[in-house]
């Protein structure tokens, strides 16, 4: 549930900090006071569209943060990275975000530069991630986003939840995925026979050619270094000869010169102890240079030009380059790519040779999986049909009480196309599910998404949420425009349903009707004010006499009328147990 909401410079709201309780909370205020702005700020926090117009006039940044409590006891054991999250705690687990004290903090901002950012706890997230995660926390119904029941793809999940099929369908999905993978593997194996035979011949030839080459690891690099030395023999020999001459082959050679310097330095150090350190460095340099001279002399003695070896190296490199040209990404690729090709060719032969019985094994596995998948799909479909009839009657009964008498709700189940051989199944079974509605007797059923009125839509959502309350993991529901076009007993019934739903959920409702507001456990008033030529929306939590005054205003438009005030007290006492 939502515990705290902090809004800064969002639209008309300068700064508001609100703490929320469980149960039913209504948001009231005069038309245009900014009630929908509060919901808009929450929608922005939950991953809604970020727009520059959301930044308060004269400010450079708008920000919203919210603290939510979540149930961490519902994380499945042995949760795998490939699993689909079923609730908020599982989503956090799969994304490696830690939870402290069953609470999670969402933050989001947008700046006048167009830059925006979002975080879940201290982890930065994309808008898509934020929206996906927050869909487990809050549903906003009306003219805003987060209308999960408006997404046809979600209808089958709601129906399965009502039917108690969620776990069974998840198990079915795994079997179905296995079947799809086996079919794909068989299809790849059963590709054009001549093509497979051609590839077998090609792999056999490649394996034989690579084996005959008797390649060694990093052989190409070693041979390239050797070729470079052999090809440059004359230059190398000439350079070594010059170096040896400069070092030690004459009286003026560096070694002899440094030897003379050393004698002079040693004598000088005997006379002046302050240069002893310098003398040691000259001595060290002499020995180092002498070692270098010996090393270069030894290197020169070993230098032998072997034209036959050069020919061998070049021929070997030519062979390796030809192998790379055939079996690597390029002639400059590492030799390891040829070895990789060799292993892949061997694996292909193992899987596609005529004596491995792979085709028969795959067909047998597919046949067994098809039987299992179809059996489970039929079982799931039968339970869906039973639940669909029951759900239609339940929704119709609630809608009648909510001022939509004559409205008929129906769950459409249609089988996917296909045959018993090419099974008519998808990841969730053999059924396509969509919620349909007829707004008036005699009118055809239309998809739920075709409902035009925000008020009607909210009441349909309320009916469904009342039914799904025990099965839906979303703990916070927000209803906007739920009172459009209703009044009297219908409004009382809407308030009663909201109150009942709030026993297990945190409910927020924007309303103009006192007969709904009096059912609330908590009431928030939004007022518009102008100061210094700047318009602001201010938010107040009402209690005691202030709430009586607000209910009186909602009843008659006159909060100072004693009769309205007394009527307000009576209604609050009757429907919310006090003030």
């Amino acid at each position: 549930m939502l515990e705290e909401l902090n809004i800064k410079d969002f639209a008309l709201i300068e700064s508001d900090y609100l703490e929320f309780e469980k149960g039913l909370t209504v948001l009231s205020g005069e038309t245009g006071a900014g009630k929908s702005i509060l919901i808009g700020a929450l929608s922005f926090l939950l991953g809604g569209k970020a727009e520059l117009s959301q930044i308060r006039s004269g400010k450079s940044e708008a920000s919203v943060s919210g603290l939510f409590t979540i149930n961490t006891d519902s994380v499945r054991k042995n949760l795998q990275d490939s699993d689909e999250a079923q609730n908020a705690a599982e989503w956090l687990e799969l994304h490696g975000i830690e939870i402290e004290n069953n609470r999670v903090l969402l933050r989001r901002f947008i700046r006048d530069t167009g830059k925006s950012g979002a975080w879940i706890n201290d982890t930065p997230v994309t808008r898509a991630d934020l929206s996906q995660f927050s869909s487990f926390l809050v549903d906003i119904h009306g003219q805003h986003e987060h209308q999960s029941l408006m997404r046809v793809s979600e209808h089958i999940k709601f129906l399965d939840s009502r039917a108690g099929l969620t776990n069974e369908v998840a198990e079915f999905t795994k079997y179905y995925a296995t079947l799809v993978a086996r079919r794909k593997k068989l299809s790849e194996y059963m590709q054009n026979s001549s093509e497979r035979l051609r590839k077998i011949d090609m792999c056999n030839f490649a394996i034989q050619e690579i084996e005959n080459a008797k390649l060694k690891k990093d052989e190409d690099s070693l041979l390239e270094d050797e070729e470079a030395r052999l090809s440059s023999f004359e230059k190398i020999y000439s350079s070594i000869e010059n170096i040896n001459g400069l070092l030690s082959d004459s009286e003026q050679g560096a070694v002899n010169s440094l030897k003379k310097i050393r004698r002079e330095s040693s004598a000088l150090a005997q006379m002046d102890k302050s240069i002893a350190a310098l003398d040691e460095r000259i001595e060290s340099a002499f020995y180092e240079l002498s070692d270098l001279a010996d090393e270069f002399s030894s290197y020169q003695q070993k230098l032998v030009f072997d034209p036959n070896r050069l020919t061998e190296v070049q021929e070997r490199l030519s062979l390796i380059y030809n192998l790379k040209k055939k079996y690597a990404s390029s002639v400059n690729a590492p030799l390891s790519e040829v070895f990789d090709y060799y292993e892949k060719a061997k694996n292909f032969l193992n899987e596609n040779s005529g004596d491995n019985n792979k085709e028969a094994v795959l067909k047998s596995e597919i046949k067994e999986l098809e039987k299992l998948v179809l059996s489970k799909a039929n079982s799931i479909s039968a339970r869906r049909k039973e639940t669909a009839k029951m759900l239609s009657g339940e929704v119709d009964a609630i809608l009648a009480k909510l001022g939509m008498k004559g409205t008929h709700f129906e769950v459409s189940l249609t089988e996917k196309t296909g045959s018993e051989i090419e099974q008519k199944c998808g990841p969730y079974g053999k059924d396509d599910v969509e919620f349909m509605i007829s707004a008036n007797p005699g009118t055809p059923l239309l998809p739920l998404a075709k409902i035009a009125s925000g008020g009607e839509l909210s009441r349909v959502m309320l009916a469904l949420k009342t039914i799904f309350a025990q099965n839906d993991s979303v703990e916070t529901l927000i209803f906007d425009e739920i009172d459009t076009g209703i009044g009297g007993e219908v409004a009382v019934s809407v308030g009663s349903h909201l109150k009942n739903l709030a026993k297990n959920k945190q409910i927020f409702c924007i309303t103009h009707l006192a007969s709904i507001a009096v059912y609330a456990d908590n009431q928030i008033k939004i007022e518009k004010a102008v100061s210094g030529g700047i318009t602001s929306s201010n938010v107040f939590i009402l209690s005691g006499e202030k709430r009586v005054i607000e209910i009186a205003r909602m009843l008659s438009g006159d909060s100072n009328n004693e009769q309205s005030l007394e009527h307000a007290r009576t209604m609050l006492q009757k429907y919310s147990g006090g003030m």
Side-chain angles (χ1 to χ4, degrees):
M1 61 166 269
L2 176 62
E3 278 194 345
E4 301 172 6
L5 187 65
N6 196 354
I7 306 171
K8 180 74 173 175
D9 295 324
F10 186 91
L12 295 179
I13 298 176
E14 181 178 9
S15 180
D16 271 317
Y17 170 78
L18 296 168
E19 294 183 356
F20 300 106
E21 303 290 339
K22 294 181 179 180
L24 173 60
T25 298
V26 297
L27 286 73
S28 62
E30 295 182 357
T31 301
K35 297 183 294 298
S36 292
I37 293 176
L38 189 61
I39 303 302
L42 185 55
S43 179
F44 168 77
L45 174 64
L46 299 174
K49 190 174 181 180
E51 299 177 332
L52 295 180
S53 60
Q54 293 166 330
I55 302 173
R56 180 172 166 79
S57 178
K59 300 297 181 179
S60 60
E61 177 180 303
S63 63
V64 184
S65 65
L67 182 65
F68 293 83
T69 58
I70 62 174
N71 179 13
T72 57
D73 298 330
S74 53
V75 178
R76 288 168 288 172
K77 293 182 179 179
N78 302 318
L79 192 65
Q80 303 296 316
D81 290 341
S82 58
D83 290 338
E84 183 178 346
Q86 294 182 359
N87 52 59
E90 287 193 351
W91 193 96
L92 294 173
E93 178 81 12
L94 291 170
H95 288 76
I97 299 177
E98 294 184 358
I99 313 168
E100 292 186 8
N101 300 320
N102 291 355
R103 284 171 171 78
V104 61
L105 178 67
L106 305 188
R107 293 179 289 141
R108 195 177 183 204
F109 75 84
I110 180 172
R111 295 184 182 138
D112 56 8
T113 59
K115 181 180 180 180
S116 63
W119 290 264
I120 299 176
N121 285 342
D122 293 326
T123 303
V125 294
T126 64
R127 177 190 171 194
D129 282 341
L130 181 64
S131 180
Q132 185 184 59
F133 170 65
S134 65
S135 67
F136 292 112
L137 302 177
V138 181
D139 256 336
I140 300 180
H141 301 300
Q143 56 185 328
H144 298 284
E145 297 178 3
H146 282 66
Q147 299 174 1
S148 59
L149 288 170
M150 290 293 285
R151 296 193 291 269
V152 175
S153 61
E154 296 294 305
H155 293 182
I156 194 168
K157 297 179 183 178
F158 279 103
L159 180 62
D160 289 345
S161 176
R162 180 59 175 158
L165 283 167
T166 302
N167 292 334
E168 190 173 333
V169 172
E171 182 184 22
F172 171 88
T173 301
K174 291 180 180 179
Y175 284 118
Y176 179 79
T178 303
L179 174 59
V180 170
R182 291 291 187 278
R183 283 176 173 167
K184 182 180 179 182
K185 204 165 187 178
L186 178 62
S187 176
E188 291 172 351
Y189 182 78
M190 294 294 293
Q191 60 182 304
N192 185 279
S193 179
S194 61
E195 172 63 20
R196 193 169 80 255
L197 291 173
R198 185 193 68 80
K199 191 169 182 179
I200 288 173
D201 288 341
M202 183 180 70
C203 287
N204 275 319
F205 179 83
I207 290 170
Q208 191 63 47
E209 188 175 24
I210 295 171
E211 286 180 347
N212 290 340
K214 297 184 179 354
L215 299 172
K216 298 175 183 177
K217 183 181 179 182
D218 299 326
E219 183 181 0
D220 54 341
S221 298
L222 297 173
L223 289 172
E224 285 169 355
D225 291 342
E226 187 176 0
E227 184 196 27
R229 288 196 302 272
L230 292 170
S231 298
S232 304
F233 178 82
E234 290 185 4
K235 290 182 180 179
I236 292 173
Y237 193 90
S238 176
S239 294
I240 290 295
E241 198 168 38
N242 289 336
I243 291 171
N244 282 331
L246 292 170
L247 283 173
S248 58
D249 283 356
S250 69
E251 191 66 27
Q252 287 76 33
V255 174
N256 286 328
S257 296
L258 192 56
K259 189 175 183 179
K260 294 175 184 178
I261 295 171
R262 183 184 170 223
R263 283 198 300 266
E264 294 291 338
S265 173
S266 178
L268 185 60
Q270 294 294 325
M271 293 180 284
D272 186 354
K273 301 293 185 182
S274 66
I275 65 167
L278 293 175
D279 179 54
E280 289 177 1
R281 290 170 64 185
I282 289 174
E283 184 177 14
S284 177
F286 171 74
Y287 286 126
E288 177 65 19
L289 196 61
S290 295
D291 285 344
L292 284 171
D294 290 342
E295 291 287 344
F296 275 109
S297 177
S298 175
Y299 180 79
Q300 183 180 14
Q301 291 173 11
K302 293 177 183 178
L303 277 176
V304 177
F305 177 64
D306 185 350
N308 292 330
R309 177 55 184 167
L310 177 59
T311 301
E312 289 176 5
V313 169
Q314 290 175 335
E315 288 176 351
R316 185 67 175 170
L317 281 173
S318 177
L319 171 65
I320 290 174
Y321 292 160
N322 284 333
L323 290 175
K324 286 184 178 182
K325 190 174 182 180
K326 291 181 181 180
Y327 308 122
S329 57
S330 73
V331 294
N332 296 317
L335 190 57
S336 59
E337 289 191 12
V338 176
F339 290 118
D340 290 342
Y341 187 95
Y342 174 80
E343 292 300 326
K344 289 177 182 177
K346 287 181 68 176
N347 290 335
F348 181 83
L349 289 183
N350 290 335
E351 293 181 0
N352 293 275
S353 58
D355 58 352
N356 64 5
N357 203 29
K358 183 176 180 179
E359 180 181 341
V361 171
L362 283 173
K363 286 183 175 180
S364 176
E365 289 177 353
I366 289 170
K367 187 175 181 180
E368 291 303 313
L369 280 169
E370 283 179 340
K371 289 179 182 178
L372 180 62
V373 165
L374 188 58
S375 173
K376 288 184 175 295
N378 287 333
S379 175
I380 290 170
S381 183
R383 288 176 61 183
R384 281 176 178 157
K385 289 174 182 176
E386 292 176 5
T387 305
K389 292 179 182 178
M390 178 179 66
L391 183 61
S392 294
E394 290 173 334
V395 173
D396 283 354
I398 295 175
L399 289 179
K401 295 178 182 178
L402 298 180
M404 296 178 69
K405 190 174 183 179
T407 298
H408 176 55
F409 175 88
E410 191 170 299
V411 181
S412 170
L413 274 84
T414 56
E415 285 193 359
K416 295 180 181 295
T417 57
S419 65
E420 295 300 314
I421 298 174
E422 290 296 328
Q423 290 183 310
K424 42 192 173 185
C425 289
Y428 304 113
K430 62 188 290 186
D431 305 303
D432 286 324
V433 176
E434 184 172 9
F435 293 162
M436 310 289 286
I437 195 163
S438 168
N440 297 291
T443 59
L445 288 162
L446 294 174
L448 191 63
K450 297 293 185 181
I451 296 176
S453 163
E456 287 181 328
L457 176 60
S458 288
R459 278 177 279 166
V460 171
M461 297 301 178
L462 176 57
L464 289 167
K465 283 297 181 181
T466 301
I467 295 166
F468 291 138
Q470 299 302 321
N471 305 99
D472 192 352
S473 64
V474 177
E475 295 187 6
T476 300
L477 309 178
I478 298 174
F479 293 94
D480 190 5
E481 292 189 340
I482 201 169
D483 55 7
T484 301
I486 65 171
E489 293 182 2
V490 173
V492 173
S493 182
V494 169
S496 176
H497 271 282
L498 288 171
K499 182 79 170 181
N500 187 56
L501 188 57
K503 291 177 181 178
N504 299 304
K505 303 286 183 181
Q506 182 186 40
I507 307 296
F508 290 89
C509 176
I510 294 179
T511 184
H512 295 277
L513 299 178
S515 47
I516 291 178
V518 292
Y519 278 97
D521 300 296
N522 319 288
Q523 185 165 353
I524 295 173
K525 182 180 181 181
I526 296 89
E527 288 184 345
K528 185 181 287 185
V530 179
S531 177
I534 299 176
T535 303
S536 299
S537 285
N538 301 313
V539 182
F540 305 95
I541 296 177
L542 301 178
S543 61
E545 191 62 22
K546 289 183 178 179
R547 188 178 179 195
V548 172
I549 292 171
E550 174 63 6
I551 296 296
R553 182 197 65 77
M554 297 173 75
L555 283 168
S556 64
D558 185 0
S559 58
N560 295 318
N561 185 293
E562 189 57 39
Q563 187 175 358
S564 296
L565 290 169
E566 188 58 34
H567 188 190
R569 292 189 184 94
T570 301
M571 291 181 70
L572 286 168
Q573 187 65 40
K574 180 177 179 181
Y575 295 113
S576 65
M579 299 178 287

